[in-house]
Amino acid sequence: EEYEHVQYAIVFDRNWKKVQLYLSPQFMQTMPNINDVPNFNVKHLKLGMDIIHGNITALKPIGDKQYLLGYLLLVNDYQTVLHEANKNFILSLLPVSLLILGFMIGLGIWINNKLVDPLKRLTSFTESITSSQDGNRRFDYHGQGEVANLSNNINDMLDRIEKQNIQNQHYTDTLESRKIELERIANYDNLTSLPNRKQFLETIELDLLKAERTGSNAMVLFLDLDHFKSINDSLGHGTGDQLLIQVSKTINEQLREQDILARLGAVSY
């Protein structure tokens, strides 16, 4: 209604005598005695608007100053007006609030897809590298920002680790090869590839201990090449070396699998 917030209206004459009274239906239910209206001294009011007992009051003159006919008092329900104003304000903000909420949800999804999810995948990738010890894998990420920089740094680090592992493996293989070569030089004759004196003595010591423990026999046979020096002098050291190689091969072919042939000296076996 046009006056839905007006509790009551009173028309006074110039001597403040009630001429006409209007009470709203809602207000009549709460005010059983209409003679109590108004519940304040109207004569003390100033013309204009004021708030009394939580209600908005408006006092206006009827007529002009020279021909004053009376006064009009309007009392409005301040709480209801404020409540509805707040309600309307909230309702007016609801679409904006929903728009902001939708924007924040979309922003959260975007941040999750652009930042949080790549970080989770990067964390899972690094954990899998640690557990599998597979340094050949790389993190595949196409994008920009800190996650891209972090993934590139991790891939660069893995590249350097892989190169270092290759170098370390090369050094290890070289050292292993040199170790094998040194063991061969220390235990075998360089010309005939037969066990040398050191290897022979270590082997015969083990064989003698075994023979003593089992009560079996062991036999050692010494061979020496006569007049070998004359071959070197007449035919040269190259021919002499070939002769030693051939002699070693010939003797080895006559031995059993459990026998051992060693070169103890220049021409001694």
Side-chain angles (χ1 to χ4, degrees), residues 254-266:
Q254 308 304 315
L255 298 179
R256 299 171 302 176
E257 183 177 357
Q258 64 269 29
D259 296 333
I260 177 175
L261 176 63
R263 186 184 180 192
L264 305 182

Side-chain angles (χ1 to χ4, degrees), residues 232-262:
N232 273 343
D233 293 341
S234 60
L235 300 177
H237 290 281
T239 302
D241 290 344
Q242 291 299 318
L243 177 61
L244 291 174
I245 294 173
Q246 187 60 43
V247 169
S248 301
K249 182 179 179 181
T250 300
I251 296 175
N252 233 347
E253 290 175 350
Q254 308 304 315
L255 298 179
R256 299 171 302 176
E257 183 177 357
Q258 64 269 29
D259 296 333
I260 177 175
L261 176 63

